[in-house]
Amino acid sequence: MSFLKRTYDSIFGAGEAAVTVPPLDGALLPNDALDQADLVATAAGADNLVRDGERCFFSSGAELFRLDLIDGTTPAGRLDAPISALAADGKGALAVGLSGKGLVIRGGPHEGRRLSGLPEADAACITALAFDGPDKLFLAVGSSRNRPEDWARDLMERNHLGSVWQVDLATGTARRIAEKLGWPAGLLVRKGAGLVVSEAWRHRLIALDDKGRSSVLLDNLPAYPSRLDAGEGGLWLSLFAPRRQLIEFVLREPAFRRKMLKEIDPAHWMAPALSSGKSFLEPLQGGSVKQLGVLKPWAPSRSYGLLVRLNERFLPEASFHSRADGTRHGITSSLAIGDRTLVTSKGGGAVLAIAADDNRREVA
């Protein structure tokens, strides 16, 4: 059945063969809320906001920082590889995913434990983590072929080599509960209701039960979804790069993509990016050419900033943007604290704070 559907789609340009991109409409209407947000901290590649009780942490490359809204940031340690994912159990333990080097536990009863139950190729690309109690941990593997920093290559290769695992920290055993996913980049544990996974390359959120059976919660997103957070202000979904018609077209041209991956500097690929506009060598679309030195906010840029608040049915109810002419792009994580939500702009190298009720647009 899937073969027939792929054949039909390829002939008629439907489904995965379509080059159309969903519009930013309804609850996703553009605004400049992220560009107007308060700046809490600056750090190159800011990512992975988590809260452990009263303490907040985020990462910047291989550095781990503690974040205080009053006192600012404090170094909390340096790891031996770039930090690709973080999770806190709320009782003093941090799970840290390291690019190319697997997982290590800091603090708590499993202090110092390193993950050993995954194949080496999978352990090298941990993109998201979520505790389910003190001894159980879910982790997402973006791809068994590429590392986390090579996400654009994985997209251009059109891989669906991601997986989700459940790890028993007491015994070190790991069990794969889903595979052949398109770069799973976010996890959310719902008590008694399974696991929610953001699948970036398929632009959707799916629910997984304990037997690995999946169902779609939200699909056809206009950008690539990343991490999820559930806080007092609702459910928050970070989206790290926009979908564009030209990129969708490139994704359906295998000969062009192979040549581009082989011959062109990755910084200049016609591919999504966490930030853009820094070099005249970057590829352009007609609408993203500056006119009289001005880049219009609606230009089809390769990078964008987008954070979406979801309701209990996983439908968008509000959104926060940094448009083409903004700089706070590449939104990768969020953390709701009281009436404020912290946001990392990995492309803009910043931690931001927004009021949760800003730009609220209810969906009928």
Side-chain angles (χ1 to χ4, degrees):
M1 187 66 184
S2 60
F3 170 76
L4 293 176
K5 186 175 189 314
R6 284 198 301 272
T7 302
Y8 177 89
D9 289 347
S10 65
I11 294 174
F12 293 100
E16 292 189 356
V19 296
T20 54
V21 174
L24 293 173
D25 203 353
L28 301 178
L29 275 176
N31 53 53
D32 58 356
L34 291 178
D35 286 313
Q36 299 298 322
D38 296 335
L39 178 64
V40 176
T42 58
D47 194 7
N48 291 309
L49 275 166
V50 296
R51 183 178 187 180
D52 184 20
E54 296 301 316
R55 305 180 302 168
C56 296
F57 296 93
F58 72 94
S59 66
S60 171
E63 300 280 353
L64 183 65
F65 288 95
R66 180 174 175 177
L67 177 64
D68 188 293
L69 294 179
I70 298 175
D71 298 331
T73 60
T74 306
R78 181 178 179 82
L79 284 296
D80 56 357
I83 298 170
S84 59
L86 271 181
D89 73 346
K91 297 180 180 179
L94 281 180
V96 186
L98 300 173
S99 177
K101 296 197 173 183
L103 173 79
V104 63
I105 303 296
R106 293 184 55 153
H110 306 292
E111 163 71 26
R113 178 179 286 276
R114 283 189 175 263
L115 182 64
S116 58
L118 261 66
E120 184 176 351
D122 289 325
C125 188
I126 297 173
T127 52
L129 296 162
F131 275 98
D132 185 17
D135 296 326
K136 290 187 178 179
L137 182 72
F138 289 102
L139 65 86
V141 172
S143 173
S144 59
R145 181 172 297 170
N146 295 301
R147 294 192 176 185
E149 59 271 23
D150 296 324
W151 61 269
R153 174 178 291 279
D154 199 76
L155 173 62
M156 288 293 114
E157 291 176 347
R158 302 208 69 175
N159 293 326
H160 293 93
L161 300 173
S163 54
V164 175
W165 297 71
Q166 185 181 49
V167 179
D168 188 326
L169 294 175
T171 63
T173 57
R175 180 174 68 93
R176 185 166 55 198
I177 59 176
E179 58 182 342
K180 297 181 180 179
L181 301 178
W183 197 268
L187 299 172
L188 178 67
V189 176
R190 296 188 296 173
K191 294 298 181 185
L195 186 69
V196 179
V197 181
S198 67
E199 200 178 358
W201 303 162
R202 291 192 171 104
H203 336 107
R204 66 182 186 178
L205 302 182
I206 59 173
L208 291 178
D209 64 16
D210 56 0
K211 296 183 179 178
R213 294 173 297 200
S214 66
S215 58
V216 177
L217 296 172
L218 176 66
D219 64 355
N220 207 25
L221 289 164
Y224 300 100
S226 181
R227 299 194 179 89
L228 293 145
D229 177 63
E232 298 170 5
L235 299 169
W236 296 90
L237 173 63
S238 304
L239 298 104
F240 61 89
R243 296 173 63 191
R244 299 299 186 199
Q245 283 185 312
L246 183 55
I247 293 172
E248 296 291 319
F249 177 73
V250 168
L251 286 171
R252 285 146 186 81
E253 295 294 326
F256 177 88
R257 283 187 288 110
R258 283 195 296 270
K259 192 170 184 180
M260 180 179 74
L261 296 180
K262 182 179 179 181
E263 299 179 4
I264 304 297
D265 185 326
H268 304 144
W269 288 348
M270 189 59 234
L274 298 179
S275 63
S276 58
K278 298 177 180 177
S279 169
F280 68 90
L281 295 174
E282 291 181 14
L284 294 173
Q285 301 180 67
S288 62
V289 177
K290 290 184 179 179
Q291 300 290 331
L292 301 176
V294 177
L295 179 65
K296 301 300 183 184
W298 54 84
S301 60
R302 295 165 58 230
S303 63
Y304 196 86
L306 180 56
L307 176 73
V308 177
R309 189 175 63 217
L310 307 173
N311 63 19
E312 67 278 4
R313 294 181 295 158
F314 289 88
L315 296 176
E317 65 174 12
S319 60
F320 305 78
H321 301 244
S322 175
R323 304 176 74 183
D325 58 340
T327 59
R328 292 168 168 178
H329 293 179
I331 304 302
T332 54
S333 67
S334 64
L335 180 64
I337 301 177
D339 59 353
R340 304 180 79 190
T341 298
L342 302 180
V343 186
T344 56
S345 166
K346 191 170 184 177
V351 180
L352 313 171
I354 58 174
D357 287 336
D358 282 354
N359 300 290
R360 185 180 182 89
R361 293 185 176 89
E362 297 288 355
V363 178

